[in-house]
Amino acid sequence: MRSFAGEPKTEASLQMDLAAIGVTHRMTLLVHSSLSSIGWVVGGAPTVVRVLLSAIGQSGTLVMPSATPHCTDPATWASPRLPDAWLADVREHLPVFDARTTPTTLGAICESFRNWPNTLRSDHPVESVCARGAAASTIVSEHPLAFSEGPGGPFEKLYNLDCRVLLLGVGFNRCTALHFAESLADRRRIKTLRFPVLDNGQRVWTEVPNVADDNGAHFPNVGQQYVAEGEVRQGSIGDAASMLFPMRGLVDFAVRYFDDVL
């Protein structure tokens, strides 16, 4: 049986927490989140989405990654790790990404936002981004297949918009802005993404280069050093330890870090 500690989290209490950490109207806000870290929320994930939208107002823009790693070659999946005997069959029948219907695996808040009325989604088969608000169409309109978190895509546009990043109950290991930063570094780490796409109505597999997964090698250290610079506002949203900071500041700091250590 689940235990219930502390107080229930409500729209009103979460609104106060967002205001206290510095989320304001007209802000372009990129959110990485963990619903379970917040505590017991009355209304669950939709309440969190509603509060975030209210906090930035009609002139703001809310953005969340909506990645779909389950659309890649199943031989590369870490969770679930499929039996080798299944791979050929799963690969043959794996559905092609559909921006309208393919769910994200990034948690209940992201999936609720993906389904929110008037939310737009970029069309990258693996690293799509959802946005709603004043700058949404600009952010999601172009998303290159190769180096999907790099120049020419949503994250460069967010950088240019001087957006704020909110880590809501998660750490810098979940911060996609650091993938964008590494994509700008001279010695960026690279992996190959393989996924099915439709080409003239035919389902075909394609391969593109992308920035490699960090797996905790550098991102937590970058974050720790950036926090020490004093540019990060810290607080709790519900029970979730959270951080708010300018994406541009983090990226510029991280590019220097990666140029030094990679």
Side-chain angles (χ1 to χ4, degrees), residues 21-173:
I21 205 171
V23 176
T24 62
H25 275 207
R26 297 183 295 278
M27 186 175 279
T28 300
L29 185 67
L30 173 61
V31 177
H32 301 271
S33 61
S34 165
L35 179 62
S36 62
S37 296
I38 300 173
W40 198 85
V41 178
V42 180
T47 294
V48 179
V49 174
R50 195 159 41 245
V51 170
L52 287 166
L53 291 170
S54 176
I56 62 174
Q58 294 286 335
S59 299
T61 304
L62 182 61
V63 185
M64 297 187 198
S66 50
T68 50
H70 51 294
C71 290
T72 60
D73 187 337
T76 65
W77 295 358
S79 179
R81 178 73 69 180
L82 299 184
D84 288 347
W86 288 21
L87 294 178
D89 200 32
V90 173
R91 191 178 291 119
E92 181 180 355
H93 296 282
L94 189 72
V96 173
F97 171 80
D98 184 332
R100 298 165 300 176
T101 62
T102 304
T104 179
T105 61
L106 296 186
I109 294 172
C110 294
E111 180 64 2
S112 183
F113 181 57
R114 182 186 73 81
N115 285 290
W116 208 262
N118 300 316
T119 291
L120 306 179
R121 190 182 194 183
S122 67
D123 62 1
H124 195 280
V126 182
E127 303 288 357
S128 65
V129 170
C130 285
R132 184 184 187 278
S137 60
T138 298
I139 291 166
V140 305
S141 61
E142 299 173 291
H143 204 155
L145 287 181
F147 295 107
S148 57
E149 295 151 329
F155 294 98
E156 181 178 57
K157 293 173 183 177
L158 289 167
Y159 176 90
N160 292 336
L161 286 166
D162 196 22
C163 97
R164 273 17 185 196
V165 178
L166 177 64
L167 300 182
L168 201 173
V170 300
F172 283 91
N173 62 311

Side-chain angles (χ1 to χ4, degrees), residues 234-255:
Q234 301 185 68
S236 293
I237 298 173
D239 296 333
S242 302
M243 292 177 277
L244 181 74
F245 50 87
M247 177 180 173
R248 188 176 293 170
L250 174 66
V251 168
D252 292 348
F253 179 88
V255 169

Side-chain angles (χ1 to χ4, degrees), residues 5-10 13 40-42:
E7 300 292 330
K9 311 308 183 277
T10 66
S13 68
W40 198 85
V41 178
V42 180

